[in-house]
Amino acid sequence: MDFVVTADGSSTLYHAEVGEHYHSKHGALQESKHVFIHSGLAYFIEKEKVDSVAILEVGFGTGLNFLQSTDYSIREGIKLQYCGIEAYPLAADIIFSMGYDNYVSLSVWNAFKDKYADALTRSVHFADDIDWQIAHCKVLEFKSDQLFDVIYFDAFAAIHQPEMWTDETLAHVCQYLRVGGVFVTYAITGNLKRSMKALGFEIEKAPGAPGKREMLRAVKL
């Protein structure tokens, strides 16, 4: 893994085997906040007028989206359940070297460091009103007894990891999203739009993060 500083000063990793960065080179932090926090989590809260949200993330990666979601939820008084699917979890020393402590409160960062290893094996109580786990499995092996409110779909791009964007994969993931739930991803392609429509979603071309004109947001009907 190679550390890379993105355009907004935040760091990402380059995965040589996949041939892609974990986040946008135009700004890892900006992408996380725009695509997942503002266009996903905050959008759902405003739409549904709720104070409790369950998030399923496909591609936990470096944990940046989790950290931002947790920090946001604590500030806004939101009860959060968070499950990240990750087939190949990063080593703790790599994640803790990303510099993401600069973008969240000290209490969130310390809890993240203390509980990362445990979250890989079970659900942990992260903080007041926040529970967290990392499902250490491939996406098609993921199973859950609960439905989620928001899906962060943050897999590597289809050109590098096409198996993550198939109808089968999308259908498997979206079965765990409740009616009225929101699916967000940084990408938007014709194939993706057709797949989501076929799965019973109302799709929207939302403004993209820096470097991308548009992104996809979809609501399950």
Side-chain angles (χ1 to χ4, degrees):
M1 296 287 181
D2 295 322
F3 288 86
V4 177
V5 178
T6 67
D8 66 1
S10 59
S11 296
T12 189
L13 294 171
Y14 179 73
H15 196 305
E17 291 183 15
V18 175
E20 192 179 30
H21 298 83
Y22 275 75
H23 311 93
S24 171
K25 294 183 292 182
H26 299 280
L29 181 63
Q30 287 184 97
E31 180 186 49
S32 177
K33 287 186 172 182
H34 178 87
V35 175
F36 301 107
I37 309 308
H38 298 309
S39 301
L41 175 57
Y43 173 84
F44 177 81
I45 292 169
E46 177 61 26
K47 180 174 80 74
E48 298 292 320
K49 308 300 182 187
V50 295
D51 59 6
S52 178
V53 180
I55 295 174
L56 177 64
E57 180 179 20
V58 178
F60 184 83
T62 64
L64 180 57
N65 295 332
F66 168 71
L67 288 165
Q68 290 300 306
S69 298
T70 299
D71 209 49
Y72 177 89
S73 296
I74 291 173
R75 291 197 312 269
E76 299 297 323
I78 301 298
K79 183 177 181 180
L80 178 66
Q81 285 185 295
Y82 198 105
C83 178
I85 303 173
E86 181 55 64
Y88 306 102
L90 290 167
D93 61 331
I94 293 177
I95 286 187
F96 301 157
S97 299
M98 297 298 298
Y100 296 159
D101 51 317
N102 294 310
Y103 311 126
V104 294
S105 68
L106 181 61
S107 61
V108 166
W109 181 251
N110 286 339
F112 181 66
K113 289 181 69 177
D114 289 344
K115 300 180 180 183
Y116 176 68
D118 288 340
L120 286 166
T121 61
R122 59 182 175 86
S123 178
V124 299
H125 185 61
F126 184 84
D128 289 345
D129 291 329
I130 295 179
D131 293 303
W132 168 41
Q133 70 179 110
I134 302 170
H136 183 186
C137 63
K138 294 183 178 180
V139 66
L140 290 176
E141 297 170 352
F142 175 76
K143 295 180 181 179
S144 176
D145 293 328
Q146 77 170 105
L147 294 178
F148 295 85
D149 301 305
V150 180
I151 289 177
Y152 293 171
F153 202 84
D154 200 16
F156 289 118
I159 191 172
H160 298 289
Q161 205 172 37
E163 69 276 9
M164 292 297 294
W165 302 84
T166 64
D167 290 344
E168 179 187 14
T169 298
L170 291 168
H172 180 75
V173 169
C174 290
Q175 71 179 302
Y176 297 110
L177 186 68
R178 75 171 184 85
V179 172
V182 174
F183 174 105
V184 284
T185 185
Y186 61 87
I188 186 164
T189 65
N191 286 338
L192 179 59
K193 289 186 289 184
R194 285 188 290 273
S195 294
M196 297 306 292
K197 283 183 179 179
L199 289 170
F201 282 77
E202 180 179 29
I203 65 169
E204 175 187 357
K205 295 179 182 178
K212 284 187 178 290
R213 188 165 60 89
E214 295 174 332
M215 55 165 276
L216 185 135
R217 178 167 59 210
V219 176
K220 191 170 186 177
L221 301 177

